[in-house]
Amino acid sequence: MIRWSARGLLFLFILLAFPVPSPAPLIYRPGEGWIYVPVGGEDAEWRKMRAEDQLLVAREAFDAGNLSLARRAARRVINVWPLSDYAPEAQYLTGRIPEEEGKLERAFKAYQRVLERYPKHENYEEILGRQFAIATRYLEGAWFRLWGYIPTGPSRARTAELFEQIIAVGPYSSVAPQSQLNVGNAWISPELGVLPVQKENYEKAVKAFSRAADMYRDQREIAAEGMFRTGEAYYNRARSADYDQSVADKAIATFSDFITLYPREPRVAEAQRMIDDLRSEQARGSFEIARFYEFRGNRMGALIYYNEVLRKDRNSEYGQRARERIDALTAQTRRNGP
């Protein structure tokens, strides 16, 4: 027993007296996360003592396609020298890297941090353009991913939120007007859902389109598009299963304003067609109510709604039939009294 203890002490003494470096390929560093460090000290080659040199490492690695090294070098600039003149460019690279990897939502968030922290960044418009392109991918049906990996499908709310974030940091940028329109598009686009569009989605779309027409009224094309899309959203809502007379009235009023304000717009004819369609539907509804009153023997109620048909759409088929019933009921009233 004593002999084995002596041997153990001798072995321990040799280990302590003559240490041998052991491989440690995975280490954790604040701001860099878990990283692989090659055996032999190569890791020290990219770690620089000046922010300018560290950013240069990140740039060169990115250009060479070494995105892992580019990410580590850029993060080191941000964490070690957050107030340096090189931090904004490093933050910009943290957006470019995941975009190159196809991690769109992560790239969007990184770009958002750039614009929030450095609103005067030299690549301001370019970054907004990249964000707009990413958000548009989701508007076209790209799937969101949980934790950046697990596909969860398209999302109306999250797509609308992306465009809203663009507007928040760049309300007067070149992509802001279309972003505001796309907030509305996200809520009702058929690319983002297989189920029928819900009532509240139309309401959110109307709010977004109306805001575009109001915020950017000095841009004729955007203002006209916003007003037309507002009327169209009202129209589709009115034509949905749970028909709403008041929404139809709002659609007609909006399209009438559109025709008045933008008489040379190519879609004036389409707007007029939808007005006629809604008025015809309103006339049909009033005609059916009038028939019900007439069937129950309430001539005065029937006359009220037959006249409502004429007010809604006197030139339609229902207008012609309503006039015939008004003449018949009026003659009957004269003969027999009320």
Side-chain angles (χ1 to χ4, degrees):
M1 179 67 70
I2 296 175
R3 185 168 60 250
W4 279 107
S5 298
R7 288 179 179 178
L9 290 172
L10 178 62
F11 181 69
L12 179 62
F13 172 77
I14 294 173
L15 286 177
L16 295 175
F18 305 99
V20 178
S22 60
L26 287 177
I27 65 172
Y28 180 83
R29 288 200 179 107
E32 298 174 24
W34 289 98
I35 60 174
Y36 172 76
V37 180
V39 178
E42 293 88 340
D43 179 56
E45 295 181 2
W46 71 269
R47 293 170 62 86
K48 304 300 180 182
M49 301 308 296
R50 298 196 313 159
E52 182 179 9
D53 296 333
Q54 192 67 78
L55 179 61
L56 182 61
V57 171
R59 286 173 176 165
E60 291 178 345
F62 180 81
D63 292 340
N66 189 344
L67 301 183
S68 176
L69 177 57
R71 181 183 293 107
R72 287 152 57 194
R75 286 178 177 173
R76 178 169 162 76
V77 174
I78 296 167
N79 286 280
V80 178
W81 300 281
L83 301 180
S84 72
D85 293 338
Y86 306 99
E89 183 66 16
Q91 186 72 64
Y92 167 71
L93 281 175
T94 65
R96 289 296 310 278
I97 292 165
E99 185 178 4
E100 286 292 316
E101 296 172 328
K103 299 173 181 176
L104 301 181
E105 193 172 10
R106 186 173 298 177
F108 187 98
K109 291 178 180 178
Y111 288 140
Q112 192 72 8
R113 285 193 292 272
V114 177
L115 298 176
E116 289 174 351
R117 295 178 184 178
Y118 313 106
K120 295 184 179 180
H121 195 284
E122 61 180 358
N123 293 339
Y124 174 85
E125 282 288 347
E126 179 205 334
I127 294 170
L128 282 170
R130 289 184 176 277
Q131 284 190 305
F132 182 83
I134 291 172
T136 300
R137 290 276 299 278
Y138 288 113
L139 183 63
E140 293 170 348
W143 284 31
F144 286 89
R145 296 177 180 270
L146 184 63
W147 301 312
Y149 297 100
I150 304 174
T152 58
S155 170
R156 296 187 186 281
R158 293 174 71 180
T159 301
E161 184 181 1
L162 293 182
F163 286 111
E164 287 171 347
Q165 289 182 45
I166 293 173
I167 300 163
V169 294
Y172 301 106
S173 66
S174 60
V175 296
Q178 187 59 50
S179 293
Q180 183 60 56
L181 289 171
N182 283 349
V183 172
N185 290 331
W187 286 113
I188 58 176
S189 171
E191 299 290 337
L192 301 183
V194 296
L195 298 176
V197 177
Q198 300 298 310
K199 173 183 176 181
E200 55 269 23
N201 287 13
Y202 283 118
E203 293 171 352
K204 291 173 182 177
V206 162
K207 184 177 180 180
F209 292 138
S210 298
R211 182 174 173 80
D214 182 57
M215 281 186 64
Y216 305 105
R217 56 183 176 273
D218 58 326
Q219 300 183 40
R220 183 181 180 85
E221 184 176 345
I222 296 296
E225 177 73 9
M227 181 170 288
F228 181 86
R229 295 304 306 279
T230 299
E232 188 176 47
Y234 277 136
Y235 173 84
N236 289 326
R237 170 73 182 88
R239 298 289 292 174
S240 62
D242 50 340
Y243 178 81
D244 189 327
Q245 179 81 31
S246 64
V247 175
D249 288 336
K250 290 177 182 177
I252 291 171
T254 303
F255 281 134
S256 297
D257 289 343
F258 173 79
I259 293 171
T260 300
L261 293 173
Y262 307 104
R264 296 184 180 180
E265 282 291 316
R267 287 172 298 181
V268 164
E270 186 178 358
Q272 186 60 56
R273 178 192 64 76
M274 285 189 274
I275 288 175
D276 294 342
D277 186 42
L278 288 170
R279 284 179 172 164
S280 179
E281 180 62 22
Q282 288 181 326
R284 186 196 64 79
S286 295
F287 185 84
E288 294 299 329
I289 295 174
R291 288 290 302 272
F292 171 78
Y293 277 115
E294 186 176 359
F295 177 78
R296 296 294 298 270
N298 187 336
R299 280 180 285 172
M300 292 305 299
L303 284 169
I304 290 172
Y305 277 96
Y306 281 135
N307 278 286
E308 183 73 8
V309 172
L310 297 182
R311 190 181 71 82
K312 296 290 186 183
D313 194 1
R314 65 174 50 250
N315 296 321
S316 67
E317 172 195 353
Y318 296 105
Q320 177 62 35
R321 293 170 64 185
R323 276 192 294 270
E324 293 173 357
R325 296 312 305 155
I326 289 172
D327 292 342
L329 289 174
T330 300
Q332 186 177 359
T333 300
R334 289 173 179 168
R335 288 195 306 269
N336 304 329

